[in-house]
């Protein structure tokens, strides 16, 4: 009997401690440490210096922006788009995946410019490392190393709402100032030729993605681009009209809208 009471006493001593330890272990750490850094240059100033040829940035300067893109839906790959609070966009290629975990839309990020390269890609500011094509002397902006990019891109604790970021546009008033920013188009629909197709069609593959057109009531058109890796690639092109948003990009002279997720496509009204 004495042994039983002693054993019970030991169990009672251990059990509460075990419960506390288990609870502490499972509780996520939601703390955020704001980096001891401030932006001392504007994105506009850097863009004014940029040309089509990659250039080394030697100054010990910092810019800031808010993440607009997300690779969670698979339509973006190893790149992050940003915009400033004045709605100036830029992009940073990064040699990593699942970037949305730490660099989700709305997250404020500081970018250290020193010893990185920058250029204008179809008139859009791009910042990264230098990449030289094998067997040639042609250089371009390449991805920041997986080992270095978190020392260059510093997460702030500030996260803004999507309403703060999004610009509501018409297809007619698109211009280069909107590149890499989050934009939204109302009262649009996919063209008749796109209906009956999936958002990605292997028979309509162009550079690993499918381009479909949306149109407004006046007949103005815009490319909507869906990657073969997008999680929503097998969704049928919606027949209805409504709202669609995403990141505006450009290839050649063509503007392209890149939805981040299928939920960016909200076509719920009758066709016009």
């Amino acid at each position: 009997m004495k042994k039983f009471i002693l054993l019970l006493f030991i169990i009672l001593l251990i059990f509460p401690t075990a419960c506390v330890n288990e609870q502490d272990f499972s509780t996520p750490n939601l703390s955020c440490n704001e980096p001891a850094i401030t932006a001392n240059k504007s994105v506009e100033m850097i863009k004014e210096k940029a040309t089509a040829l990659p250039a080394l940035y030697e100054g010990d300067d910092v810019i800031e922006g808010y993440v607009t893109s997300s690779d969670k839906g698979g339509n973006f790959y190893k790149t992050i788009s940003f915009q400033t609070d004045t709605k100036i966009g830029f992009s940073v290629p990064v040699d990593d995946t699942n970037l949305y975990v730490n660099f989700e839309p709305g997250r404020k990020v500081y970018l250290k410019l020193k010893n990185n390269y920058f250029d204008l890609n179809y008139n859009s500011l791009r910042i990264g490392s230098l990449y030289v094509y094998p067997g040639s002397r042609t250089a371009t902006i390449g991805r920041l190393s997986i080992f270095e990019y978190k020392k260059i891109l510093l997460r702030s604790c500030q996260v803004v709402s999507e309403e703060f970021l999004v610009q509501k546009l018409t297809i007619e008033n698109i211009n280069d100032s909107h590149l890499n920013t989050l934009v939204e188009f109302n009262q649009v629909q996919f063209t008749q030729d796109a209906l009956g197709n999936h958002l990605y069609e292997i028979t309509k593959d162009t550079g690993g993605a499918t381009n479909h057109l949306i149109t407004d009531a006046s007949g103005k058109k815009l490319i909507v681009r869906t990657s073969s890796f997008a999680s929503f690639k097998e969704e049928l092109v919606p027949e209805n009209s409504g709202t669609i948003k995403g990141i505006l990009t450009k290839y050649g002279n063509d503007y392209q809208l890149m939805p981040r997720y299928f939920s960016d496509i909200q076509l719920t009204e009758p066709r016009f």
Side-chain angles (χ1 to χ4, degrees):
M1 185 66 179
K2 290 182 179 179
K3 290 183 178 180
F4 174 78
I5 293 173
L6 180 60
L7 179 61
L8 181 61
F9 179 73
I10 294 172
I11 291 173
L12 289 173
L13 285 175
I14 295 174
F15 184 73
T17 305
C19 290
V20 170
N21 287 342
E22 182 178 354
Q23 184 179 10
D24 289 346
F25 181 79
S26 62
T27 301
N29 182 5
L30 300 178
S31 63
C32 176
N33 296 317
E34 188 69 23
I37 193 171
T38 56
N40 65 341
K41 286 289 188 293
S42 69
V43 174
E44 291 91 332
M45 294 173 65
I46 307 306
K47 188 172 182 179
E48 287 175 0
K49 295 180 179 180
T51 69
L53 297 176
L56 176 65
Y57 198 97
E58 299 180 286
D60 194 12
D61 296 322
V62 177
I63 59 174
E64 64 183 27
Y66 299 92
V67 178
T68 56
S69 62
S70 172
D71 60 358
K72 186 175 183 179
N75 212 26
F76 285 82
Y77 181 70
K78 293 191 174 183
T79 186
I80 308 175
S81 291
F82 299 88
Q83 69 184 54
T84 66
D85 53 9
T86 55
K87 305 297 190 291
I88 303 298
F90 61 99
S91 65
V92 180
V94 175
D95 194 16
D96 201 3
T97 56
N98 296 322
L99 294 165
Y100 72 92
V101 174
N102 291 304
F103 299 96
E104 74 277 31
R107 173 72 62 179
K108 184 177 181 179
V109 177
Y110 298 98
L111 193 159
K112 294 182 177 181
L113 292 168
K114 189 172 184 178
N115 295 330
N116 290 306
Y117 288 80
F118 66 110
D119 74 355
L120 289 179
N121 183 44
Y122 301 115
N123 208 31
S124 177
L125 179 63
R126 185 171 55 172
I127 302 167
S129 63
L130 189 68
Y131 177 77
V132 179
Y133 290 104
S136 75
R137 296 181 179 179
T138 304
T140 187
I141 299 297
R143 297 168 182 152
L144 296 177
S145 163
I146 191 173
F147 305 108
E148 298 294 330
Y149 78 92
K150 288 186 179 179
K151 300 175 186 177
I152 298 168
L153 297 173
L154 304 180
R155 299 167 72 248
S156 166
C157 296
Q158 182 182 358
V159 181
V160 300
S161 67
E162 194 151 286
E163 288 72 23
F164 175 83
L165 296 174
V166 70
Q167 300 182 79
K168 296 184 178 181
L169 304 178
T170 63
I171 296 176
E172 185 175 18
N173 65 16
I174 293 172
N175 59 61
D176 287 355
S177 70
H178 301 126
L179 294 174
N180 288 300
T181 67
L182 179 62
V183 296
E184 179 180 282
F185 299 92
N186 297 314
Q187 297 182 326
V188 294
Q189 63 189 23
F190 282 94
T191 59
Q192 193 69 35
D193 291 345
L195 301 185
N197 291 284
H198 298 95
L199 286 172
Y200 170 79
E201 290 282 351
I202 193 168
T203 57
K204 300 178 184 294
D205 185 285
T206 305
T210 294
N211 294 338
H212 291 302
L213 294 175
I214 56 171
T215 182
D216 60 18
S218 69
K220 296 291 189 301
K221 295 180 176 63
L222 173 65
I223 293 170
V224 173
R225 187 165 172 82
T226 306
S227 167
S228 62
F229 294 100
S231 61
F232 49 93
K233 67 179 182 179
E234 294 184 359
E235 296 284 349
L236 287 173
V237 172
E239 296 183 0
N240 292 345
S241 68
T243 299
I244 182 169
K245 63 185 169 185
I247 310 306
L248 191 70
T249 63
K250 191 177 184 181
Y251 184 77
N253 295 318
D254 296 325
Y255 292 110
Q256 301 176 335
L257 184 67
M258 301 277 291
R260 301 160 301 173
Y261 344 92
F262 189 59
S263 60
D264 278 343
I265 303 172
Q266 294 291 325
L267 304 181
T268 58
E269 303 296 325
R271 289 184 71 82
F272 46 74

